[in-house]
Amino acid sequence: MNVIEYRLNELARISGVSTRNIRAYRERGLLDPPRRQGRSAFYNAYHVAQLDTINQLLRRGFSSAHIAEFFASMRAGADLADILGLQRSLFASEGGQDENPPTAHALDIDAGGDEAGQLVAYGLAEIVDGSVVFLDPSIAAIVGRAPDPMLYIRAILRIVGSTRRDVDTLAGVVADALQECIEARFGPDRTPDPLEMHRMVQDYRELANRLVARHLDEALHAQMAPFCGDERADEDRPAPHAVREGN
């Protein structure tokens, strides 16, 4: 059976990952090396699956070092079916169907309490074997290191409850802007190219996330400066050019 292969630019278009990030993932050991033929490099469906896994792990708070270790273990004997199966297992929770969330994220709070019920209702946690389990490991890590986790949980519920409607409204604005872009790019009577359409959707999602995150960070810096002093706030604030990897 012939294996479909892609050059770097084709892989970037199909996966939605920039060529710069693909090269960076290769250098850091996250992405398997391509097949070489002379000076040409060829990628296949396994690399597409790897890139999808890398991006999802980054979004869920895993570091590049952890992802590299993950793929090192996969290289010990896993094939494409294994990695695709692992993707379904790891990321089913994005659709609310994760049957086995990591027990390391369990919270020491009453699973029958109001706070636990609200966390579940917001899609932030699940009840597993009588314990409240966060679905996002980065949120779990922050709450887990808090002197009083319940205070952090109440803050989370207040933030989510106060912003859900505004976030939904903002998502609608972004979707409308994307619709206008699609109509301007393809016209009302043309069928959009699926790959280009996917790229545009990913671009608009990334633009919205980065623009909102930047504005929110600036506003938080201004609002929180009185609590820690301007100098310390400046130290804690990420550099404007620092961009997290991922699409």
Side-chain angles (χ1 to χ4, degrees):
M1 182 177 64
N2 294 329
V3 176
I4 298 176
E5 294 186 316
Y6 315 99
R7 294 183 181 273
L8 179 60
N9 288 337
E10 294 173 322
L11 178 66
R13 186 176 69 252
I14 291 169
S15 67
V17 180
S18 68
T19 56
R20 179 176 59 83
N21 278 347
I22 291 174
R23 292 190 182 98
Y25 295 160
R26 270 177 22 203
E27 293 171 358
R28 297 174 187 176
L30 278 66
L31 187 68
D32 279 12
R35 182 180 71 83
R36 294 284 183 180
Q37 184 174 330
R39 300 182 62 182
S40 299
F42 297 92
Y43 302 82
N44 55 38
Y46 186 88
H47 295 98
V48 177
Q50 279 189 305
L51 289 171
D52 189 41
T53 302
I54 290 168
N55 285 330
Q56 295 193 60
L57 286 170
L58 286 171
R59 286 195 296 268
R60 291 174 67 87
F62 291 89
S63 68
S64 296
H66 290 151
I67 299 172
E69 292 177 3
F70 163 75
F71 279 114
S73 64
M74 293 294 293
R75 294 182 188 106
D79 57 15
L80 176 60
D82 292 330
I83 193 170
L84 290 174
L86 183 56
Q87 281 179 261
R88 286 191 291 270
S89 175
L90 281 174
F91 308 122
S93 63
E94 292 188 354
Q97 303 297 322
D98 191 354
E99 297 180 356
N100 297 293
T103 56
H105 303 150
L107 304 175
D108 187 19
I109 66 173
D110 180 10
D114 291 341
E115 290 85 358
Q118 291 180 67
L119 288 172
V120 173
Y122 285 148
L124 299 174
E126 289 185 350
I127 308 299
V128 180
D129 296 331
S131 298
V132 181
V133 179
F134 265 126
L135 299 180
D136 188 322
S138 59
I139 295 177
I142 294 172
V143 175
R145 65 174 180 253
D148 187 344
M150 186 55 74
L151 293 178
Y152 276 41
I153 290 170
R154 288 170 182 160
I156 289 170
L157 294 174
R158 180 176 180 179
I159 293 168
V160 174
S162 300
T163 59
R164 282 172 66 88
R165 182 173 297 179
D166 290 336
V167 170
D168 288 342
T169 300
L170 176 59
V173 171
V174 176
D176 290 343
L178 174 61
Q179 180 64 39
E180 292 177 5
C181 179
I182 292 171
E183 292 177 357
R185 173 70 180 86
F186 299 105
D189 300 324
R190 290 179 55 192
T191 302
D193 175 74
L195 291 178
E196 186 173 355
M197 182 75 143
H198 175 74
R199 178 70 255 178
M200 292 170 64
V201 170
Q202 293 297 101
D203 284 346
Y204 269 67
R205 289 182 62 181
E206 183 175 354
L207 283 171
N209 277 308
R210 291 175 185 264
L211 290 169
V212 172
R214 179 187 179 89
H215 189 181
L216 178 60
D217 180 65
E218 292 174 350
L220 287 172
H221 173 70
Q223 295 285 340
M224 293 182 172
F227 295 101
C228 56
D230 288 340
E231 182 177 348
R232 184 174 174 183
D234 286 333
E235 292 175 354
D236 293 339
R237 189 181 184 191
H241 64 275
V243 176
R244 186 179 174 184
E245 292 174 1
N247 63 344

